[in-house]
Amino acid sequence: QVQLVESGGGLVQAGGSLRLSCTASGSIFSINAMGWYRQVPGKQRELVARITSGGSTNYADSVKGRFTISRDNAKNTVYLQMNSLKPEDTAVYYCNAHLTDRGYYTYDWWGQGTQVTVSS
């Protein structure tokens, strides 16, 4: 069994900052990539940022220059530093891990989600 535990969401004013964290634990052999997605009611879940085990990153155009994803491989933890937040960043943010477990099965696993609300 794999667990992804997220933290760091909350309410912030426009222009402010938040830092999300997500730690993976359980029956993990390796984590190939970790990322953050977000979803608002009535819309599809969308990629915010993603980082591979080698450190390659990609970002949604809407967050480039404002958000930074980083990763501590030793701790199986991914971070999302969010600066210059805008009301349109309001969403539930989900952590994702593309991993191989100790049975050598590879799949995606999701966290429970953390709410980020940006007030204008």
Side-chain angles (χ1 to χ4, degrees):
Q1 190 73 343
V2 175
Q3 297 85 37
L4 293 180
V5 178
E6 301 149 335
S7 63
L11 173 64
V12 65
Q13 288 188 334
S17 299
L18 284 174
R19 188 191 195 211
L20 305 183
S21 300
C22 172
T23 298
S25 63
S27 182
I28 298 170
F29 175 73
S30 66
I31 301 178
N32 310 311
M34 297 185 79
W36 291 93
Y37 292 70
R38 66 188 181 187
Q39 189 170 23
V40 297
K43 292 190 176 181
Q44 286 192 333
R45 192 172 296 185
E46 64 174 6
L47 173 70
V48 176
R50 187 173 181 267
I51 184 167
T52 68
S53 58
S56 297
T57 59
N58 61 294
Y59 295 88
D61 287 343
S62 59
V63 307
K64 285 180 181 177
R66 300 188 297 122
F67 291 11
T68 302
I69 191 169
S70 60
R71 179 173 170 175
D72 185 334
N73 290 333
K75 295 181 179 180
N76 284 344
T77 298
V78 65
Y79 306 95
L80 185 68
Q81 178 67 44
M82 304 185 292
N83 299 328
S84 301
L85 282 159
K86 303 176 180 180
E88 50 263 44
D89 294 317
T90 296
V92 178
Y93 283 69
Y94 294 91
C95 178
N96 169 271
H98 184 68
L99 59 90
T100 300
D101 68 16
R102 291 177 182 169
Y104 302 109
Y105 292 101
T106 299
Y107 48 83
D108 284 303
W109 199 259
W110 294 89
Q112 78 283 1
T114 185
Q115 177 70 45
V116 171
T117 303
V118 184
S119 63
S120 57

